[in-house]
Amino acid sequence: MPRFLSMIRLDESALPAEGPSPELMERMGKLLEEMTKAGVMLDNAGLHPTSEGKRVTWSGGKFSVTDGPFTEAKEIVGGYAIVQAKDMAEAVEWTKRFLEIHEEHWNITCEVREIAAG
């Protein structure tokens, strides 16, 4: 079965200061448990803030390393999920379920892409 990467994109400056609500975390736990039992969820995690990251660039035959935060980027990758689904449509349906458990004040985009076999 194909595998898909869902990159969770969000505006880091618009995140709630208190973080995710306990209710959201409970809903998230239930959904992730359901996806794991269904054999769909292979791996997932949130990412630390961009202020703790580095951006490594290769250009013109040279490396450059930039410290975060990456303020020029409106949306950043805030987390990921790797799912195994029969096709893109099923991967998108699971992604929709992930998005809809969030409260209305969240503004999240998930980019879903099939992982190249190899």
Side-chain angles (χ1 to χ4, degrees):
M1 266 208 289
R3 295 174 302 147
F4 298 88
L5 173 65
S6 180
M7 291 175 280
I8 302 157
R9 297 181 176 274
L10 43 83
D11 180 350
E12 195 171 40
S13 67
L15 294 175
E18 67 280 359
S21 68
E23 296 82 11
L24 171 58
M25 295 309 295
E26 183 179 337
R27 290 190 301 272
M28 181 85 61
K30 287 178 182 177
L31 178 61
L32 295 177
E33 182 179 347
E34 179 184 349
M35 292 176 76
T36 300
K37 285 181 179 177
V40 173
M41 182 60 68
L42 300 179
D43 191 22
N44 70 290
L47 300 175
H48 285 266
T50 62
S51 61
E52 298 176 25
K54 305 273 187 194
R55 182 173 289 156
V56 182
T57 303
W58 174 257
S59 179
K62 295 181 181 176
F63 286 110
S64 65
V65 179
T66 306
D67 293 336
F70 311 125
T71 55
E72 73 282 359
K74 175 143 175 77
E75 284 189 340
I76 55 99
V77 177
Y80 71 92
I82 298 175
V83 300
Q84 182 171 273
K86 65 181 179 194
D87 54 26
M88 176 64 81
E90 182 184 16
V92 167
E93 285 305 311
W94 283 109
T95 299
K96 286 179 175 179
R97 289 190 59 194
F98 167 77
L99 290 172
E100 74 184 353
I101 66 171
H102 290 77
E103 293 93 353
E104 290 182 8
H105 62 267
W106 287 86
N107 187 10
I108 310 169
T109 301
C110 286
E111 180 179 333
V112 181
R113 297 179 52 193
E114 187 170 351
I115 298 172

